[in-house]
Amino acid sequence: EIVLTQSPATLSLSPGERATLSCRASQSVSSYLAWYQQKPGQAPRLLIYDASNRATGIPARFSGSGSGTDFTLTISSLEPEDFAVYYCQQRSNWPLITFGQGTRLEIK
Amino acid sequence: EVQLVQSGAEVKKPGESLKISCKGSGYSFTSYWIGWVRQMPGKGLEWMGIIYPGDSDTRYSPSFQGQVTISADKSISTAYLQWSSLKASDTAMYYCVRAVEMATVFFDIWGQGTMVTVSS
């Protein structure tokens, strides 16, 4: 099973700052990686697929990069509504799918 | 509008059976995989399994194989997740998701979630 490890577990930043979230795979997942955002009491929302493609309706301040084992989700300038939990997800060994454990982005 | 609408919250006792549902609309239900994701209270996301309603091809996470059954009725565009004997540890929010296959398989549409509480 491919394990996804997200870091940091919690990230404390202020609105307007740049956020960098990491997702590391235990073995190569090529570019088969997606990112999701989950706010309290809501279902997750797709942000990024295929490592770097923004989903429909996702603001340009969200960007994804990486391939192989190391991936990054960057939020260029934090808005108040961006404080949430973020998950990465891989499908490299379909049909097995795994999620990372999440990074909580909180207001400093 | 493309959406998945799940059945309502459930409160059950240990040992009881349960079947929750997820109805798709606004797209061709038989052309996309439908998956189920568990989120235990205060915890992260866990993929449980997936079904292709077009031919009922079903795959399970090893962690959930034998613990749940995933099915679908394409005539009414509805997928199901069922348990034959619930445990307290099944208490969680359950999301159905539409899976898109590109390079990644990703979940672009999420149901609103069904909260299942198992308590004596």
Side-chain angles (χ1 to χ4, degrees):
Chain A
E1 177 184 328
I2 296 176
V3 177
L4 297 178
T5 302
Q6 293 186 239
S7 61
T10 302
L11 184 59
S12 299
L13 293 170
S14 300
E17 290 193 294
R18 182 184 187 90
T20 303
L21 287 67
S22 174
C23 177
R24 177 164 290 177
S26 58
Q27 61 189 81
S28 177
V29 298
S30 186
S31 63
Y32 303 150
L33 194 98
W35 291 93
Y36 302 85
Q37 175 194 65
Q38 187 178 32
K39 297 179 182 179
Q42 296 184 18
R45 175 176 71 145
L46 175 69
L47 298 175
I48 301 287
Y49 64 93
D50 293 351
S52 61
N53 295 304
R54 270 191 305 277
T56 303
I58 301 304
R61 65 180 181 273
F62 290 90
S63 63
S65 63
S67 65
T69 61
D70 290 298
F71 299 86
T72 301
L73 175 69
T74 302
I75 310 171
S76 59
S77 179
L78 285 165
E79 297 288 341
E81 62 268 27
D82 298 337
F83 292 91
V85 180
Y86 292 84
Y87 295 95
C88 56
Q89 171 251 314
Q90 69 83 26
R91 61 120 312 166
S92 184
N93 50 343
W94 171 258
L96 295 182
I97 292 173
T98 52
F99 290 94
Q101 83 281 14
T103 288
R104 181 178 305 277
L105 178 56
E106 64 177 27
I107 299 176
K108 188 173 182 179
Chain B
E1 180 191 6
V2 176
Q3 58 180 350
L4 297 172
V5 178
Q6 298 184 229
S7 50
E10 301 274 1
V11 179
K12 292 288 190 178
K13 290 181 166 45
E16 291 186 330
S17 63
L18 176 64
K19 192 174 189 178
I20 62 175
S21 67
C22 169
K23 183 173 177 61
S25 62
Y27 73 99
S28 174
F29 187 73
T30 54
S31 299
Y32 292 83
W33 293 83
I34 293 286
W36 289 92
V37 175
R38 182 175 80 173
Q39 188 167 39
M40 299 177 77
K43 302 299 185 183
L45 306 173
E46 300 173 271
W47 178 73
M48 301 176 70
I50 202 161
I51 187 166
Y52 192 76
D55 61 7
S56 294
D57 185 6
T58 308
R59 319 290 178 89
Y60 293 92
S61 162
S63 299
F64 292 93
Q65 179 84 47
Q67 307 304 308
V68 297
T69 301
I70 294 171
S71 61
D73 184 341
K74 61 185 179 182
S75 69
I76 55 171
S77 301
T78 301
Y80 302 96
L81 177 66
Q82 69 180 84
W83 296 258
S84 58
S85 180
L86 286 160
K87 304 184 282 287
S89 58
D90 293 317
T91 294
M93 181 72 81
Y94 293 88
Y95 294 102
C96 64
V97 294
R98 187 179 80 163
V100 176
E101 278 192 274
M102 296 187 76
T104 311
V105 171
F106 56 88
F107 306 133
D108 68 335
I109 304 295
W110 291 67
Q112 83 277 19
T114 296
M115 184 66 207
V116 174
T117 303
V118 184
S119 175
S120 55

Short mmCIF file of all heavy atoms in Angstrom, two decimals, chain B residues 35-79:
data_model
loop_
_atom_site.label_atom_id
_atom_site.label_comp_id
_atom_site.label_asym_id
_atom_site.label_seq_id
_atom_site.Cartn_x
_atom_site.Cartn_y
_atom_site.Cartn_z
N GLY B 35 -17.81 6.05 -5.52
CA GLY B 35 -17.07 5.52 -4.39
C GLY B 35 -17.68 5.93 -3.06
O GLY B 35 -18.59 6.77 -3.00
N TRP B 36 -17.16 5.32 -2.01
CA TRP B 36 -17.58 5.66 -0.64
C TRP B 36 -16.34 5.97 0.19
O TRP B 36 -15.32 5.27 0.09
CB TRP B 36 -18.37 4.51 -0.02
CG TRP B 36 -19.72 4.33 -0.63
CD1 TRP B 36 -20.05 3.52 -1.66
CD2 TRP B 36 -20.93 5.00 -0.23
NE1 TRP B 36 -21.40 3.64 -1.94
CE2 TRP B 36 -21.96 4.53 -1.09
CE3 TRP B 36 -21.25 5.95 0.75
CZ2 TRP B 36 -23.29 4.98 -0.98
CZ3 TRP B 36 -22.56 6.39 0.86
CH2 TRP B 36 -23.57 5.90 0.00
N VAL B 37 -16.46 7.02 1.00
CA VAL B 37 -15.36 7.49 1.84
C VAL B 37 -15.87 7.63 3.28
O VAL B 37 -16.93 8.21 3.51
CB VAL B 37 -14.84 8.86 1.33
CG1 VAL B 37 -13.77 9.41 2.27
CG2 VAL B 37 -14.29 8.73 -0.09
N ARG B 38 -15.12 7.09 4.21
CA ARG B 38 -15.48 7.19 5.63
C ARG B 38 -14.68 8.29 6.31
O ARG B 38 -13.49 8.47 6.03
CB ARG B 38 -15.21 5.86 6.34
CG ARG B 38 -15.62 5.87 7.81
CD ARG B 38 -15.45 4.50 8.45
NE ARG B 38 -14.07 4.23 8.82
CZ ARG B 38 -13.68 3.16 9.50
NH1 ARG B 38 -14.59 2.26 9.88
NH2 ARG B 38 -12.40 2.97 9.78
N GLN B 39 -15.33 9.00 7.21
CA GLN B 39 -14.64 9.96 8.07
C GLN B 39 -15.14 9.78 9.49
O GLN B 39 -16.26 10.19 9.82
CB GLN B 39 -14.85 11.40 7.58
CG GLN B 39 -13.99 12.39 8.35
CD GLN B 39 -13.95 13.76 7.70
OE1 GLN B 39 -14.96 14.25 7.18
NE2 GLN B 39 -12.80 14.38 7.70
N MET B 40 -14.32 9.18 10.30
CA MET B 40 -14.67 8.99 11.70
C MET B 40 -14.59 10.33 12.41
O MET B 40 -13.88 11.24 11.95
CB MET B 40 -13.76 7.94 12.33
CG MET B 40 -13.90 6.58 11.64
SD MET B 40 -12.80 5.32 12.27
CE MET B 40 -13.64 4.89 13.78
N PRO B 41 -15.28 10.48 13.53
CA PRO B 41 -15.33 11.79 14.21
C PRO B 41 -13.95 12.36 14.49
O PRO B 41 -13.11 11.72 15.13
CB PRO B 41 -16.09 11.48 15.51
CG PRO B 41 -16.96 10.32 15.14
CD PRO B 41 -16.15 9.49 14.19
N GLY B 42 -13.71 13.55 13.99
CA GLY B 42 -12.45 14.24 14.22
C GLY B 42 -11.26 13.68 13.47
O GLY B 42 -10.11 14.08 13.75
N LYS B 43 -11.49 12.77 12.55
CA LYS B 43 -10.40 12.10 11.84
C LYS B 43 -10.38 12.43 10.35
O LYS B 43 -11.18 13.22 9.87
CB LYS B 43 -10.53 10.58 12.03
CG LYS B 43 -10.51 10.15 13.50
CD LYS B 43 -9.22 10.52 14.20
CE LYS B 43 -9.18 9.98 15.61
NZ LYS B 43 -7.94 10.41 16.34
N GLY B 44 -9.45 11.79 9.65
CA GLY B 44 -9.28 12.03 8.23
C GLY B 44 -10.17 11.18 7.35
O GLY B 44 -11.07 10.48 7.82
N LEU B 45 -9.88 11.22 6.06
CA LEU B 45 -10.67 10.53 5.04
C LEU B 45 -10.10 9.14 4.76
O LEU B 45 -8.88 8.99 4.63
CB LEU B 45 -10.68 11.35 3.75
CG LEU B 45 -11.12 12.80 3.88
CD1 LEU B 45 -10.92 13.54 2.57
CD2 LEU B 45 -12.58 12.88 4.32
N GLU B 46 -10.98 8.17 4.64
CA GLU B 46 -10.58 6.79 4.33
C GLU B 46 -11.42 6.30 3.16
O GLU B 46 -12.65 6.30 3.22
CB GLU B 46 -10.83 5.87 5.52
CG GLU B 46 -10.10 6.22 6.79
CD GLU B 46 -10.57 5.32 7.92
OE1 GLU B 46 -11.55 5.69 8.60
OE2 GLU B 46 -9.95 4.25 8.12
N TRP B 47 -10.74 5.83 2.11
CA TRP B 47 -11.45 5.29 0.96
C TRP B 47 -11.89 3.86 1.26
O TRP B 47 -11.08 3.04 1.70
CB TRP B 47 -10.53 5.32 -0.26
CG TRP B 47 -11.15 4.73 -1.48
CD1 TRP B 47 -12.14 5.27 -2.25
CD2 TRP B 47 -10.84 3.47 -2.06
NE1 TRP B 47 -12.46 4.42 -3.27
CE2 TRP B 47 -11.67 3.31 -3.19
CE3 TRP B 47 -9.95 2.45 -1.75
CZ2 TRP B 47 -11.63 2.20 -3.99
CZ3 TRP B 47 -9.90 1.34 -2.55
CH2 TRP B 47 -10.74 1.22 -3.66
N MET B 48 -13.17 3.58 1.00
CA MET B 48 -13.72 2.28 1.35
C MET B 48 -13.83 1.35 0.15
O MET B 48 -13.56 0.15 0.24
CB MET B 48 -15.12 2.45 1.95
CG MET B 48 -15.17 3.32 3.18
SD MET B 48 -16.85 3.57 3.76
CE MET B 48 -17.24 1.94 4.38
N GLY B 49 -14.28 1.90 -0.96
CA GLY B 49 -14.50 1.06 -2.13
C GLY B 49 -15.22 1.84 -3.20
O GLY B 49 -15.58 3.01 -3.01
N ILE B 50 -15.44 1.17 -4.33
CA ILE B 50 -15.96 1.87 -5.50
C ILE B 50 -16.71 0.91 -6.40
O ILE B 50 -16.40 -0.28 -6.43
CB ILE B 50 -14.77 2.55 -6.23
CG1 ILE B 50 -15.20 3.70 -7.11
CG2 ILE B 50 -13.92 1.53 -6.97
CD1 ILE B 50 -14.07 4.65 -7.45
N ILE B 51 -17.71 1.42 -7.11
CA ILE B 51 -18.50 0.60 -8.02
C ILE B 51 -18.72 1.35 -9.33
O ILE B 51 -18.84 2.57 -9.34
CB ILE B 51 -19.86 0.22 -7.38
CG1 ILE B 51 -20.62 -0.79 -8.25
CG2 ILE B 51 -20.73 1.46 -7.09
CD1 ILE B 51 -21.79 -1.47 -7.54
N TYR B 52 -18.73 0.59 -10.42
CA TYR B 52 -19.06 1.16 -11.72
C TYR B 52 -20.47 0.74 -12.04
O TYR B 52 -20.72 -0.43 -12.36
CB TYR B 52 -18.09 0.66 -12.79
CG TYR B 52 -18.20 1.41 -14.08
CD1 TYR B 52 -17.66 2.68 -14.20
CD2 TYR B 52 -18.85 0.85 -15.19
CE1 TYR B 52 -17.75 3.38 -15.39
CE2 TYR B 52 -18.94 1.55 -16.37
CZ TYR B 52 -18.40 2.81 -16.48
OH TYR B 52 -18.51 3.52 -17.64
N PRO B 53 -21.44 1.66 -11.92
CA PRO B 53 -22.85 1.26 -12.08
C PRO B 53 -23.18 0.67 -13.45
O PRO B 53 -24.15 -0.07 -13.59
CB PRO B 53 -23.60 2.58 -11.85
CG PRO B 53 -22.69 3.39 -11.00
CD PRO B 53 -21.32 3.06 -11.49
N GLY B 54 -22.36 0.98 -14.45
CA GLY B 54 -22.65 0.47 -15.79
C GLY B 54 -22.64 -1.05 -15.86
O GLY B 54 -23.45 -1.65 -16.57
N ASP B 55 -21.70 -1.67 -15.09
CA ASP B 55 -21.61 -3.13 -15.13
C ASP B 55 -21.49 -3.75 -13.74
O ASP B 55 -21.24 -4.94 -13.61
CB ASP B 55 -20.44 -3.58 -16.00
CG ASP B 55 -19.09 -3.09 -15.48
OD1 ASP B 55 -19.04 -2.50 -14.40
OD2 ASP B 55 -18.08 -3.30 -16.18
N SER B 56 -21.62 -2.90 -12.70
CA SER B 56 -21.55 -3.32 -11.29
C SER B 56 -20.17 -3.86 -10.89
O SER B 56 -20.06 -4.53 -9.85
CB SER B 56 -22.63 -4.35 -10.95
OG SER B 56 -23.91 -3.77 -11.05
N ASP B 57 -19.13 -3.58 -11.65
CA ASP B 57 -17.77 -3.90 -11.24
C ASP B 57 -17.50 -3.17 -9.93
O ASP B 57 -17.68 -1.96 -9.83
CB ASP B 57 -16.79 -3.44 -12.32
CG ASP B 57 -15.36 -3.84 -12.02
OD1 ASP B 57 -15.10 -4.57 -11.05
OD2 ASP B 57 -14.47 -3.39 -12.78
N THR B 58 -17.08 -3.92 -8.90
CA THR B 58 -16.92 -3.36 -7.55
C THR B 58 -15.54 -3.70 -7.02
O THR B 58 -15.09 -4.84 -7.15
CB THR B 58 -18.00 -3.90 -6.60
OG1 THR B 58 -19.29 -3.70 -7.19
CG2 THR B 58 -17.97 -3.18 -5.25
N ARG B 59 -14.88 -2.73 -6.41
CA ARG B 59 -13.57 -2.92 -5.81
C ARG B 59 -13.63 -2.40 -4.37
O ARG B 59 -14.28 -1.39 -4.11
CB ARG B 59 -12.49 -2.16 -6.58
CG ARG B 59 -12.62 -2.22 -8.09
CD ARG B 59 -12.31 -3.57 -8.66
NE ARG B 59 -12.48 -3.60 -10.12
CZ ARG B 59 -11.51 -3.31 -10.98
NH1 ARG B 59 -10.31 -2.96 -10.54
NH2 ARG B 59 -11.73 -3.35 -12.29
N TYR B 60 -12.90 -3.05 -3.48
CA TYR B 60 -12.89 -2.65 -2.08
C TYR B 60 -11.47 -2.36 -1.60
O TYR B 60 -10.52 -3.01 -2.03
CB TYR B 60 -13.47 -3.76 -1.20
CG TYR B 60 -14.94 -4.02 -1.41
CD1 TYR B 60 -15.38 -4.99 -2.31
CD2 TYR B 60 -15.90 -3.31 -0.69
CE1 TYR B 60 -16.73 -5.23 -2.50
CE2 TYR B 60 -17.26 -3.55 -0.87
CZ TYR B 60 -17.66 -4.51 -1.78
OH TYR B 60 -19.01 -4.75 -1.96
N SER B 61 -11.36 -1.41 -0.70
CA SER B 61 -10.13 -1.26 0.05
C SER B 61 -9.94 -2.52 0.89
O SER B 61 -10.91 -3.04 1.47
CB SER B 61 -10.23 -0.04 0.97
OG SER B 61 -9.25 -0.10 1.97
N PRO B 62 -8.71 -3.01 1.01
CA PRO B 62 -8.49 -4.19 1.87
C PRO B 62 -9.00 -3.98 3.30
O PRO B 62 -9.43 -4.94 3.95
CB PRO B 62 -6.97 -4.35 1.85
CG PRO B 62 -6.54 -3.73 0.56
CD PRO B 62 -7.48 -2.59 0.33
N SER B 63 -8.99 -2.75 3.76
CA SER B 63 -9.44 -2.46 5.13
C SER B 63 -10.94 -2.67 5.31
O SER B 63 -11.41 -2.84 6.44
CB SER B 63 -9.08 -1.02 5.51
OG SER B 63 -7.68 -0.82 5.45
N PHE B 64 -11.67 -2.62 4.21
CA PHE B 64 -13.13 -2.69 4.30
C PHE B 64 -13.71 -3.94 3.62
O PHE B 64 -14.91 -4.20 3.75
CB PHE B 64 -13.76 -1.43 3.70
CG PHE B 64 -13.50 -0.21 4.52
CD1 PHE B 64 -12.41 0.62 4.26
CD2 PHE B 64 -14.32 0.13 5.59
CE1 PHE B 64 -12.14 1.74 5.03
CE2 PHE B 64 -14.09 1.25 6.37
CZ PHE B 64 -12.99 2.06 6.08
N GLN B 65 -12.87 -4.68 2.92
CA GLN B 65 -13.32 -5.92 2.27
C GLN B 65 -13.94 -6.84 3.32
O GLN B 65 -13.35 -7.11 4.36
CB GLN B 65 -12.14 -6.61 1.62
CG GLN B 65 -12.48 -7.92 0.92
CD GLN B 65 -13.00 -7.71 -0.48
OE1 GLN B 65 -12.43 -6.96 -1.25
NE2 GLN B 65 -14.08 -8.39 -0.83
N GLY B 66 -15.17 -7.32 3.03
CA GLY B 66 -15.85 -8.21 3.96
C GLY B 66 -16.59 -7.51 5.08
O GLY B 66 -17.36 -8.15 5.81
N GLN B 67 -16.35 -6.21 5.25
CA GLN B 67 -17.01 -5.47 6.33
C GLN B 67 -18.26 -4.75 5.84
O GLN B 67 -19.19 -4.52 6.63
CB GLN B 67 -16.05 -4.45 6.93
CG GLN B 67 -14.71 -5.01 7.36
CD GLN B 67 -14.86 -6.16 8.34
OE1 GLN B 67 -15.55 -6.03 9.36
NE2 GLN B 67 -14.23 -7.29 8.04
N VAL B 68 -18.27 -4.38 4.58
CA VAL B 68 -19.38 -3.67 3.97
C VAL B 68 -19.64 -4.23 2.58
O VAL B 68 -18.80 -4.94 2.02
CB VAL B 68 -19.11 -2.15 3.86
CG1 VAL B 68 -18.95 -1.52 5.24
CG2 VAL B 68 -17.89 -1.88 2.99
N THR B 69 -20.81 -3.88 2.04
CA THR B 69 -21.16 -4.25 0.67
C THR B 69 -21.59 -3.01 -0.09
O THR B 69 -22.43 -2.24 0.40
CB THR B 69 -22.30 -5.29 0.65
OG1 THR B 69 -21.89 -6.44 1.38
CG2 THR B 69 -22.64 -5.68 -0.79
N ILE B 70 -20.99 -2.83 -1.24
CA ILE B 70 -21.34 -1.71 -2.12
C ILE B 70 -22.13 -2.26 -3.29
O ILE B 70 -21.76 -3.30 -3.87
CB ILE B 70 -20.06 -1.00 -2.61
CG1 ILE B 70 -19.35 -0.32 -1.42
CG2 ILE B 70 -20.39 0.02 -3.70
CD1 ILE B 70 -17.98 0.22 -1.76
N SER B 71 -23.21 -1.60 -3.64
CA SER B 71 -24.05 -2.02 -4.76
C SER B 71 -24.62 -0.80 -5.44
O SER B 71 -24.46 0.34 -4.98
CB SER B 71 -25.17 -2.94 -4.26
OG SER B 71 -26.00 -2.26 -3.33
N ALA B 72 -25.30 -1.04 -6.56
CA ALA B 72 -25.92 0.06 -7.29
C ALA B 72 -27.12 -0.45 -8.06
O ALA B 72 -27.15 -1.62 -8.49
CB ALA B 72 -24.92 0.72 -8.24
N ASP B 73 -28.10 0.42 -8.22
CA ASP B 73 -29.26 0.14 -9.05
C ASP B 73 -29.29 1.23 -10.13
O ASP B 73 -29.70 2.37 -9.86
CB ASP B 73 -30.54 0.18 -8.21
CG ASP B 73 -31.77 -0.20 -9.01
OD1 ASP B 73 -31.72 -0.14 -10.26
OD2 ASP B 73 -32.80 -0.52 -8.39
N LYS B 74 -28.81 0.87 -11.31
CA LYS B 74 -28.68 1.90 -12.34
C LYS B 74 -30.03 2.38 -12.84
O LYS B 74 -30.12 3.49 -13.38
CB LYS B 74 -27.82 1.41 -13.50
CG LYS B 74 -28.34 0.19 -14.24
CD LYS B 74 -27.31 -0.26 -15.28
CE LYS B 74 -27.78 -1.49 -16.02
NZ LYS B 74 -26.76 -1.97 -16.99
N SER B 75 -31.08 1.59 -12.64
CA SER B 75 -32.40 2.01 -13.12
C SER B 75 -32.92 3.22 -12.37
O SER B 75 -33.76 3.96 -12.88
CB SER B 75 -33.40 0.85 -13.00
OG SER B 75 -33.70 0.57 -11.65
N ILE B 76 -32.41 3.44 -11.16
CA ILE B 76 -32.82 4.60 -10.37
C ILE B 76 -31.61 5.45 -9.97
O ILE B 76 -31.68 6.27 -9.06
CB ILE B 76 -33.62 4.20 -9.12
CG1 ILE B 76 -32.86 3.19 -8.26
CG2 ILE B 76 -34.99 3.65 -9.51
CD1 ILE B 76 -33.52 2.92 -6.91
N SER B 77 -30.48 5.23 -10.66
CA SER B 77 -29.28 6.07 -10.48
C SER B 77 -28.87 6.18 -9.01
O SER B 77 -28.54 7.27 -8.52
CB SER B 77 -29.51 7.48 -11.06
OG SER B 77 -29.81 7.41 -12.44
N THR B 78 -28.86 5.06 -8.34
CA THR B 78 -28.59 5.07 -6.90
C THR B 78 -27.55 4.01 -6.54
O THR B 78 -27.64 2.87 -6.99
CB THR B 78 -29.89 4.83 -6.11
OG1 THR B 78 -30.83 5.87 -6.43
CG2 THR B 78 -29.64 4.84 -4.61
N ALA B 79 -26.60 4.43 -5.72
CA ALA B 79 -25.62 3.52 -5.16
C ALA B 79 -25.90 3.32 -3.67
O ALA B 79 -26.52 4.18 -3.03
CB ALA B 79 -24.20 4.07 -5.37
#
